[in-house]
Amino acid sequence: MDEQQVVERPTRRSGALVDYLARHLRRRSESALAPLGLRTRHLVALTVLRERTEITQRDLATVLVLDSTNVVGLLNELETRGLVERRRSAEDRRRHVVTLTDDGTTLLCRAETALAAVEDEVFAGLDPAQREQLHELLLAATGSASAPFC
């Protein structure tokens, strides 16, 4: 076989696989969170609040990359359920400080347990070392090693 007849294997692309996996994981996660009355945005907000102990509403909007109006709506939903608490800042009465309540912490733990079961199902084809490697590769690919929900 001469050099011109050698057919190179096309470069493997992972985008479609990552997209498929993300959609599958999202659907399963939404199904697991629904009985708890949570959506993904609630989970992320509660996780940030657990990691930050307390945070201003404006800073929370920045961390969540949300418009302040959307954060107000999100916090209204969580506060109505007793999962978070807002109070005026002692340093600046114009600002609100947001904290996670005990009920919020309890529900967040239940949600994390439900999501761990989803991950066990979705990643059943990977052994523990491969799952750890996947996590590290995803952190590297996203540059999110410091994100509170990783």
Side-chain angles (χ1 to χ4, degrees):
M1 182 180 266
D2 66 37
E3 290 181 44
Q4 291 180 351
Q5 291 179 333
V6 174
V7 177
E8 288 189 36
R9 183 177 176 177
T11 303
R12 289 182 153 189
R13 301 288 179 203
S14 299
L17 286 171
V18 170
D19 182 59
Y20 169 78
L21 186 61
R23 283 185 285 119
H24 180 57
L25 187 58
R26 185 177 307 113
R27 279 193 302 270
R28 291 292 301 120
S29 295
E30 288 169 354
S31 294
L33 292 174
L36 301 174
L38 293 175
R39 295 192 320 242
T40 303
R41 66 190 215 129
H42 298 131
L43 181 74
V44 173
L46 294 174
T47 302
V48 168
L49 290 169
R50 179 182 58 199
E51 299 301 319
R52 301 285 178 101
T53 309
E54 70 176 31
I55 188 171
T56 66
Q57 201 165 290
R58 177 182 288 170
D59 289 344
L60 182 61
T62 300
V63 170
L64 297 177
V65 192
L66 289 175
D67 178 84
S68 58
T69 303
N70 291 330
V71 169
V72 168
L74 172 65
L75 291 175
N76 286 345
E77 293 170 10
L78 295 173
E79 191 173 38
T80 297
R81 295 185 58 195
L83 305 176
V84 302
E85 181 179 275
R86 280 183 281 195
R87 67 183 191 298
R88 296 277 180 193
S89 168
E91 293 83 36
D92 184 347
R93 302 290 296 157
R94 296 170 294 174
R95 295 179 188 239
H96 283 94
V97 175
V98 185
T99 57
L100 187 64
T101 65
D102 290 342
D103 286 347
T105 300
T106 299
L107 188 60
L108 179 56
C109 289
R110 289 179 56 206
E112 289 172 333
T113 299
L115 292 176
V118 167
E119 282 194 23
D120 287 344
E121 173 194 320
V122 172
F123 298 125
L126 302 177
D127 65 39
Q130 289 171 320
R131 288 174 71 170
E132 182 61 29
Q133 182 180 23
L134 175 62
H135 185 82
E136 294 302 319
L137 290 170
L138 292 171
L139 285 174
T142 61
S144 300
S146 64
F149 50 86
C150 295

